[in-house]
Amino acid sequence: MRLVLLGPPGAGKGTQAQWLKERYGIPQLSTGDMLRAAVAAGTEIGRQAKAVMERGELVSDEIMIGVIAERLRSPDCARGFVLDGFPRTVAQAEALERLLAERGEKLDAVIELAVDTEALVERIAGRFACAKCGAGYHDRFKRPAVEGVCDVCGGTEFVRRKDDNAEAVRTRLQAYAAQTAPLLPFYRQRGLLRTVDGMAPIAEVTAAIRRALEDIAG
Ligand code: AP5
Ligand code: MG
Ligand code: ZN
């Protein structure tokens, strides 16, 4: 299964990718996570991306396409993948198409998570993650079962993202509208776009994605 999750910041791409990777046994390719890891490790790409990400702007197509081209070569991507946060521009989508065509592959579906802007801001404001394993939580919508303890790894330290402040969120929403939303007609034209109501509770969104993918599998 080769999937793309498309949606504005806070739509639930990371949350749903978590389920998809388990369901289909495919890796989650989150360019945001890869960049945050590069920043933390202080690599050349991390140095170039840090300030851009903190402002909420997009990192250059050249860097992102390079990162994904390399990641797709790993053996664990041979049976598919779920892309979370890539492509984000038409140039990235065209590059992805070329990269896959070179391998005789193509996408199976692009799932759009549609969420109102007010809900996005609320989701981002309440988001936090386990410092140890990265599992995602929310102050209101997804608290750990035991207060202060990660459900997944038992970690007790949590972190909030640097670009989850009001100003950077505004810039991220603008970047989505201007640079990423054009991917909706791009993929609709190719018959790949499946839009899911991302306003529903997490488990209902998961169920809607499952139905959409069962439809495709026939
Ligand atoms: P990235 O990390 O991809 O951030 P983003 O697109 O802004 O998306 P988020 O991770 O904020 O949201 P999400 O959709 O994953 O939502 P989540 O599941 O966490 O990118 C960060 C930056 O990196 C970019 O700004 C850019 O600078 C750079 N970058 C990355 N990729 C790039 C690329 N390809 N090109 C150029 N630059 C790139 O959910 C949010 C919260 O809501 C969570 O707390 C969750 O628990 C909760 N939640 C989820 N679903 C629901 C629900 N249905 N109901 C209630 N709560 C929910
Ligand atoms: Mg995410
Ligand atoms: Zn954890």
Side-chain angles (χ1 to χ4, degrees):
M1 198 59 108
R2 297 181 189 89
L3 302 172
V4 169
L5 282 172
L6 199 58
K13 301 181 296 293
T15 303
Q16 299 299 331
Q18 208 58 38
W19 172 80
L20 284 162
K21 88 178 188 195
E22 275 156 41
R23 168 67 178 78
Y24 294 100
I26 50 179
Q28 169 192 5
L29 310 188
S30 162
T31 41
D33 288 349
M34 292 176 203
L35 289 171
R36 282 183 287 278
V39 170
T43 66
E44 180 54 33
I45 286 176
R47 272 197 294 276
Q48 291 180 37
K50 188 172 188 287
V52 179
M53 290 176 78
E54 281 175 13
R55 287 197 300 272
E57 293 165 8
L58 294 188
V59 174
S60 75
D61 286 336
E62 194 192 342
I63 291 182
M64 296 320 305
I65 292 165
V67 165
I68 282 296
E70 190 185 326
R71 184 65 185 84
L72 284 174
R73 269 184 237 123
S74 307
D76 67 331
C77 293
R79 286 182 46 247
F81 48 76
V82 49
L83 280 161
D84 155 12
F86 186 98
R88 248 176 161 93
T89 64
V90 171
Q92 291 180 18
E94 288 169 346
L96 176 63
E97 223 168 38
R98 278 196 304 275
L99 284 167
L100 293 177
E102 282 165 15
R103 302 147 55 112
E105 296 172 355
K106 57 186 186 53
L107 293 173
D108 292 300
V110 174
I111 298 161
E112 179 202 2
L113 299 173
V115 180
D116 298 349
T117 306
E118 302 89 273
L120 297 172
V121 172
E122 188 186 20
R123 286 184 190 181
I124 291 173
R127 170 168 56 186
F128 59 98
C130 172
K132 203 165 137 199
C133 77
Y137 296 97
H138 193 280
D139 292 329
R140 271 187 58 202
F141 305 124
K142 195 182 177 213
R143 303 195 64 89
V146 177
E147 193 61 40
V149 182
C150 174
D151 295 344
V152 178
C153 77
T156 53
E157 249 187 82
F158 295 89
V159 287
R160 289 182 193 256
R161 265 167 55 175
K162 255 192 159 161
D163 61 344
D164 279 355
N165 61 77
E167 204 184 326
V169 168
R170 214 173 307 125
T171 307
R172 284 158 63 195
L173 289 169
Q174 282 164 2
Y176 182 81
Q179 293 168 273
T180 309
L183 294 182
L184 298 171
F186 179 95
Y187 284 125
R188 195 174 293 121
Q189 270 170 17
R190 284 157 174 75
L192 289 170
L193 190 70
R194 302 287 181 277
T195 299
V196 163
D197 174 17
M199 291 294 289
I202 294 173
E204 284 177 32
V205 177
T206 304
I209 294 174
R210 178 189 296 155
R211 283 194 298 276
L213 294 179
E214 281 167 0
D215 250 17
I216 292 164

